[in-house]
Amino acid sequence: MCILIYIDFDWNTLNIMKKQASFILEDIADFFIKLDKKLIFATLLLSSFGVVAISSATSGERYVPLQIFGIAVGFVLMLIIARIDYEVMCDLYIPLILVCSALLLFTAFVADNIGGNRNWLNLGFINIQTSEFTKMAFIITIAAHINKLGDKLNRPTSLLLLGAHFLMYFIPIVLQGDIGSSLIYIFTFIVMVYIAGLKYRYFIFGIAAVFAAAPIIWSVLRTDQKKRLIYGFQPELDPLGYGYQPIISKIALGSGQMKGLGYLNGIQTQNELLPAMHTDFIYAVIGEEFGFIGCVLTLTLILLVVFLILFNIRKVDTLHGRLICVGVACIIMFQTIINLGMVLGLSPVIGVTLPFVSYGGSSVMSLFMAIGLVLSVRYKSRQTRTLSFNRKTKHYR
């Protein structure tokens, strides 16, 4: 009798394990079914084209395997973040603010001075740009804070708290000397509060404050930063100095014409005449070797990624979910606009990469993580709609 009891218990345990395994597999299958596969495919296609351009710009050096490694790690992190409930991340917005602010401040005071900037943290085996990884946290915390304020957004006390929240990211980045990242944070914050319903009078007041503070801001800039700004808009005034990169970049773009000179056939690219061509000026490489067609294809893929992110908003029921999608789209758009301005000689060279295309492990990994955040919003929204539909169906029956 004891033997029969043991056998019966063993079979029951096995059946329970089978059911648990079945639930887990169903959950995994449901997760992958509800992912935005079009968005994932568009980002992978854009990143793959970037690898091709980097391969040409670096003559197949170690940068290519490192970029592929960054894409692979970023892709895995994207899936992990997509599986996490974004509302749980939003609930932790205060600890996230404190951790990110501390990390950015630590970088500002500890990082090595590279070209006047202290934005790269040396971990011994790898260098990371902390301001890239904190972008995702910035979007989460700002969205969560605005959602918590609700109808109180336009109250002066609410705006003071929100402004202090923004400055906890912004001030450390300014201390790092990273003008490019600071601009992206500013523009993203402005769009997010605008979408949330901030009244126009506050924007007018903000613009007036910027103009009033302009002389003070200019006075605290370093000499090299002032020259970068002046010659960024008129590179021809310093063709062998601060204007060299944008001038050579425009020559490379123009020489590509419609179809380009061909892969590995770019004159400026293959003769290494253009500095930072695998990072900030990768678009010039694309223009020279793949021509106007390659440039249009690149921009089309970037715009497609942005469109697919914003397209998810119509399926999101929460304010913070919508703001997260807007924030991610803004970062990609503003990075693209600033980078193109640099390449075309229309804005200062301030070290902003082309999203998913330029070389940079920190950049590509942080962008894939941001995409994971959008996927998390979409998955939770679809899951909520499914549960709501099932409840309605059951009630009807």
Side-chain angles (χ1 to χ4, degrees):
M1 185 172 181
C2 292
I3 294 172
L4 290 174
I5 292 170
Y6 172 76
I7 293 172
D8 183 59
F9 172 78
D10 187 57
W11 277 107
N12 285 336
T13 304
L14 186 62
N15 287 331
I16 292 169
M17 290 176 65
K18 283 182 178 180
K19 287 180 180 179
Q20 289 177 340
S22 176
F23 288 142
I24 292 169
L25 290 173
E26 286 179 8
D27 185 55
I28 293 172
D30 179 67
F31 169 66
F32 281 102
I33 288 169
K34 290 178 179 177
L35 285 176
D36 189 343
K37 298 174 189 62
K38 292 177 182 177
L39 178 58
I40 295 172
F41 178 75
T43 54
L44 287 175
L45 187 60
L46 186 58
S47 300
S48 300
F49 188 57
V51 170
V52 173
I54 293 166
S55 174
S56 177
T58 58
S59 302
E61 293 179 11
R62 62 185 181 88
Y63 297 105
V64 173
L66 285 174
Q67 184 72 357
I68 294 172
F69 176 75
I71 292 170
V73 172
F75 185 80
V76 173
L77 291 172
M78 176 190 73
L79 293 178
I80 293 171
I81 291 169
R83 190 64 184 86
I84 301 171
D85 189 340
Y86 77 95
E87 292 188 343
V88 173
M89 291 186 274
C90 287
D91 290 338
L92 300 172
Y93 82 96
I94 293 178
L96 271 176
I97 296 169
L98 297 175
V99 170
C100 289
S101 182
L103 179 61
L104 291 170
L105 277 172
F106 179 77
T107 304
F109 291 108
V110 175
D112 296 330
N113 192 324
I114 303 173
N117 296 345
R118 294 180 177 273
N119 53 349
W120 288 92
L121 199 59
N122 188 352
L123 300 181
F125 61 96
I126 190 174
N127 293 330
I128 63 167
Q129 189 175 355
T130 52
S131 59
E132 289 288 344
F133 289 101
T134 54
K135 283 176 183 174
M136 188 185 73
F138 176 74
I139 293 168
I140 294 171
T141 58
I142 292 294
H145 193 161
I146 291 172
N147 184 67
K148 189 175 180 64
L149 291 173
D151 296 333
K152 301 175 184 177
L153 174 64
N154 285 286
R155 293 183 181 179
T157 51
S158 299
L159 289 177
L160 285 173
L161 289 173
L162 196 58
H165 178 169
F166 168 74
L167 290 175
M168 290 185 73
Y169 289 92
F170 184 71
I171 291 175
I173 293 172
V174 171
L175 291 175
Q176 292 176 11
D178 191 350
I179 298 175
S181 293
S182 62
L183 287 175
I184 292 167
Y185 276 76
I186 290 172
F187 293 143
T188 302
F189 177 71
I190 290 171
V191 173
M192 289 180 74
V193 294
Y194 172 77
I195 295 296
L198 187 66
K199 292 182 178 178
Y200 287 105
R201 64 172 180 265
Y202 292 113
F203 290 105
I204 295 170
F205 175 77
I207 293 169
V210 169
F211 277 107
I216 300 172
I217 296 170
W218 181 258
S219 66
V220 299
L221 290 176
R222 301 191 309 265
T223 303
D224 64 302
Q225 290 176 326
K226 290 178 181 178
K227 289 182 178 180
R228 196 181 295 274
L229 290 171
I230 293 169
Y231 298 123
F233 295 104
Q234 292 181 299
E236 291 78 11
L237 296 177
D238 189 20
L240 298 178
Y242 289 96
Y244 177 76
Q245 282 177 292
I247 288 173
I248 298 298
S249 173
K250 287 190 286 185
I251 291 172
L253 282 169
S255 62
Q257 298 185 23
M258 182 60 70
K259 297 181 180 179
L261 301 176
Y263 178 66
L264 298 177
N265 289 323
I267 297 171
Q268 315 300 323
T269 302
Q270 301 309 316
N271 290 293
E272 300 181 0
L273 298 175
L274 179 60
M277 56 187 172
H278 62 301
T279 53
D280 299 349
F281 287 85
I282 194 69
Y283 194 70
V285 175
I286 293 170
E288 185 177 38
E289 299 199 342
F290 301 99
F292 180 74
I293 295 173
C295 289
V296 170
L297 175 63
T298 305
L299 287 181
T300 301
L301 286 173
I302 292 173
L303 289 173
L304 177 62
V305 169
V306 172
F307 171 78
L308 290 172
I309 291 170
L310 295 177
F311 187 72
N312 283 307
I313 292 176
R314 66 187 184 90
K315 301 177 182 177
V316 180
D317 298 324
T318 62
L319 174 61
H320 49 312
R322 291 193 293 271
L323 288 175
I324 284 172
C325 292
V326 168
V328 174
C330 282
I331 283 176
I332 295 172
M333 277 300 299
F334 289 130
Q335 276 195 215
T336 302
I337 292 168
I338 294 172
N339 182 270
L340 292 183
M342 290 162 43
V343 172
L344 296 170
L346 300 176
S347 66
V349 179
I350 50 178
V352 175
T353 57
L354 190 62
F356 295 104
V357 182
S358 294
Y359 170 78
S362 296
S363 176
V364 75
M365 280 192 280
S366 66
L367 285 167
F368 269 106
M369 290 168 69
I371 295 297
L373 200 54
V374 174
L375 296 176
S376 173
V377 173
R378 173 189 169 91
Y379 176 69
K380 177 64 182 292
S381 299
R382 293 191 66 176
Q383 198 175 36
T384 304
R385 285 170 180 265
T386 302
L387 289 171
S388 176
F389 175 77
N390 289 340
R391 288 196 192 98
K392 287 179 181 178
T393 307
K394 186 176 180 181
H395 177 74
Y396 176 76
R397 288 176 181 174

